[in-house]
Amino acid sequence: MDFKTEMKERVSYIDEVIKRYLPKEEGFEKTLLSAMNYSILAGGKRIRPMLMLETYRLFGGEQVNEIAPFLAAMEMIHTYSLVHDDLPAMDDDDYRRGRLTTHKVYGEAMGILAGDALLNYSFEVAAQAFSGTMDISRVAKAFTVLTRKPGIGGMIGGQAVDVENCDRPMDKDKLDFIYLLKTGALIEGSMMIGAILAGAKDAKVEEIEEAGRKIGLAFQIQDDVLDVIGDEQVIGKPINSDEKNHKTTYVTLFGLEEAKKKVEILSLDALKVLEKFPKRNKFLEELVRYLIFRDK
């Protein structure tokens, strides 16, 4: 089976897992629930839960249902961040993944609430893992990572620094800080949770966190590249949005070719970490290559 076919199968599986945990659209708050589901069912590559699942398998994890609540929860957190990113006060985007953004369909206020609800609901979903496992300590450690990586020391912290410096020139150190938290934190967290739930030792989890950090940074730099050279119909959102929003990126700091070189260096470093574990996961390694050198 080739990589693209395998990836489609995994996306399909993750989609089914996510649907299993979605709220029913009923009651007085039906509009909110509809907005939540509209957001998360918009499609996408399901990269973060896929990295989680494949890292789980890398360390010998076999009970896929054990990790299922975390797969759904991580995608809900990622989706909430996209809903808020698209708001007028943030990136002010009308389209996401080729269709109208949540606030364009449901209004700005409901867009804010849908994002809030997805974040809070993600923890409700992940908490279901406590009643479906024989190893409470692993679930507790994984749950701690899930609550920490999107927070003030992770994604939200990175977003805050990004927003605060939107119209200001930035140096590489500050840009790296933003990228490592805003984008890298959820990728790190996804891979760490997979390793933890599979029973990896703390030292191995730290190595996976480092690999995730490099993957996250490379992933975001590749986004910078695609914002300049990508095809709007392929990537599903407007190109040159960074320029429109007066954002400093790796491309604006170092130029297009240097940004591409940095992506390659980071990817090779991350792959070296993954390739040294006794039980190789070839699909995971190929997934990392795909993510970093993608064209959308």
Side-chain angles (χ1 to χ4, degrees), residues 2 10 39 43 50 58 71 84 99 128 133 170 172 177 185 196-197 215 217 219 221 234 239 262 277-279:
D2 63 28
R10 283 161 172 81
S39 304
M50 195 179 300
L58 174 67
L71 298 177
H84 280 189
R99 69 175 190 169
Q128 295 182 39
T133 182
M170 286 190 287
K172 179 181 179 297
F177 178 89
I196 289 167
L197 291 177
I215 293 167
L217 183 54
F219 186 89
I221 297 172
V234 174
I239 61 170
K262 185 65 174 177
F277 293 114
K279 183 177 179 179

Side-chain angles (χ1 to χ4, degrees), residues 6-208:
E6 287 189 82
M7 188 169 182
K8 285 180 181 178
E9 286 190 353
R10 283 161 172 81
V11 170
S12 179
Y13 168 74
I14 292 167
D15 281 342
E16 289 305 311
V17 169
I18 291 168
K19 289 174 185 176
R20 195 187 310 168
Y21 293 99
L22 292 181
K24 293 181 180 179
E25 298 177 17
E26 57 188 20
F28 288 122
E29 73 275 35
K30 181 178 178 180
T31 302
L32 171 65
L33 304 175
S34 175
M36 292 169 64
N37 291 346
Y38 174 86
S39 304
I40 200 163
L41 293 176
K45 295 180 283 290
R46 309 305 192 195
I47 296 307
R48 289 148 193 83
M50 195 179 300
L51 286 168
M52 185 188 298
L53 180 60
E54 295 307 318
T55 306
Y56 178 73
R57 288 171 170 161
L58 174 67
F59 286 96
E62 297 177 349
Q63 302 300 318
V64 179
N65 285 334
E66 176 183 70
I67 200 174
F70 283 96
L71 298 177
M74 185 59 79
E75 190 65 14
M76 289 174 186
I77 292 171
H78 174 57
T79 301
Y80 119 76
S81 74
L82 300 182
V83 172
H84 280 189
D85 273 350
D86 291 335
L87 289 167
M90 300 283 278
D91 291 344
D92 194 16
D93 283 326
D94 293 344
Y95 289 90
R96 167 75 64 176
R97 293 167 178 162
R99 69 175 190 169
L100 287 171
T101 50
T102 303
H103 74 275
K104 296 300 292 186
V105 175
Y106 292 91
E108 185 176 353
M110 197 58 69
I112 293 170
L113 291 172
D116 293 343
L118 281 166
L119 175 61
N120 191 82
Y121 189 60
S122 72
F123 300 132
E124 291 185 47
V125 169
Q128 295 182 39
F130 283 102
S131 60
T133 182
M134 296 295 290
D135 196 323
I136 297 296
S137 63
R138 288 185 189 177
V139 174
K141 287 173 68 176
F143 193 82
T144 299
V145 172
L146 186 77
T147 59
R148 180 165 52 87
K149 287 296 184 179
I152 57 175
M155 182 182 67
I156 294 175
Q159 287 178 317
V161 177
D162 188 21
V163 168
E164 192 174 29
N165 289 275
C166 182
D167 295 314
R168 303 175 186 174
M170 286 190 287
D171 60 18
K172 179 181 179 297
D173 288 344
K174 185 172 286 187
L175 189 62
D176 281 349
F177 178 89
I178 292 170
Y179 284 7
L180 288 170
L181 271 66
K182 182 179 177 180
T183 302
L186 290 194
I187 290 176
E188 292 170 25
S190 296
M191 297 180 74
M192 290 171 69
I193 289 169
I196 289 167
L197 291 177
K201 302 297 184 183
D202 289 348
K204 298 301 181 185
V205 175
E206 290 176 6
E207 290 179 31
I208 285 296

